[in-house]
Amino acid sequence: MLVLTRAVNEAIMIGDGIEITVVGVKGDKVRIGIRAPQSVAVHRKEVYEAIQQANVEAARTAPSDLPTLPDLSRIIPPPSAPPGGAGTKE
Amino acid sequence: MKITTTRFGEVEVSGESTYAFPEGILGFGDIRSFVLLDHPRGGPFRWLQAIEVPALAFVVTDPAIFFPSYRVAVRAEDVSSIRLEDIRGGFVLVILTVNRETSGITANLQGPLVFNPAGRLAKQVVLADREYTTRHPLVPVQKP
């Protein structure tokens, strides 16, 4: 891993499009500013890993794993319209 | 268009149910094209099936059915890549996971899928809100 020392308000460029600035340091916490193209997703690593792991686990589901309609009707009211249609959701 | 799927065999899909995920889905980087399929046995479930990868599919549902108070707070820049200028033109689905040992179903409310049906674009948004996690048990909605 490349390790660089930077002071507050100093920055690092990654390629042409990504700029990382040390915004502030307080105790053992560092505030970091990130400027990146829209096509680059920026996430906290622990959140990124949680979502990634959840996606990988979710992709293992088989249709037969899901409850059947009689089972479902006991836990949810019958939908009044086809679910997940093109309607507007918040 | 006909696509091949591991779970459902050959499926005829229409263009209006296909979505491009310009940023992909975390963990499945290069896969960009998906289609929403109805669950063969009906109910509140649908499948987000990868068009070019027969084995890749996720069970999804409308979170409003199970989590009426759930709200996805997105900033304009979160959804600019799917050209969703007016959030009211979009809709949200969440990915479900079934635990085979307990048959318990959980919903990923931290990484909802936001769809722009007019643009046929979608993305998995990662919510900064720590109120939501990747595993919310599907709580039955009580009848009033």
Side-chain angles (χ1 to χ4, degrees), chain B residues 1-140:
Chain B
M1 159 175 69
K2 253 199 180 111
I3 64 164
T4 306
T5 72
T6 306
R7 292 170 181 79
F8 314 108
E10 280 213 339
V11 183
E12 179 70 35
V13 300
S14 67
E16 61 192 51
S17 54
T18 62
Y19 285 88
F21 282 67
E23 289 139 287
I25 290 182
L26 286 180
F28 301 91
D30 293 338
I31 300 161
R32 299 278 191 267
S33 303
F34 289 84
V35 59
L36 279 174
L37 304 174
D38 289 328
H39 185 51
R41 291 185 291 181
F45 306 121
R46 303 177 86 190
W47 289 83
L48 184 70
Q49 167 73 50
I51 290 176
E52 282 139 27
V53 184
L56 180 60
F58 302 92
V59 195
V60 294
T61 196
D62 177 352
I65 298 172
F66 298 97
F67 306 97
S69 62
Y70 178 59
R71 294 288 178 272
V72 175
V74 292
R75 295 163 300 177
E77 62 256 40
D78 292 329
V79 288
S80 59
S81 66
I82 58 167
R83 291 187 233 130
L84 191 60
E85 277 100 32
D86 183 354
I87 198 74
R88 285 168 296 182
F91 66 94
V92 171
L93 297 174
V94 293
I95 299 179
L96 303 179
T97 300
V98 181
N99 182 319
R100 283 196 182 153
E101 274 149 47
T102 64
S103 295
I105 306 177
T106 57
N108 181 353
L109 300 189
Q110 196 177 16
L113 306 171
V114 179
F115 292 81
N116 171 2
R120 312 246 56 88
L121 292 163
K123 98 173 243 186
Q124 184 171 34
V125 174
V126 177
L127 299 183
D129 192 337
R130 287 169 197 271
E131 184 185 343
Y132 298 122
T133 73
T134 56
R135 287 166 201 282
H136 286 256
L138 238 62
V139 179

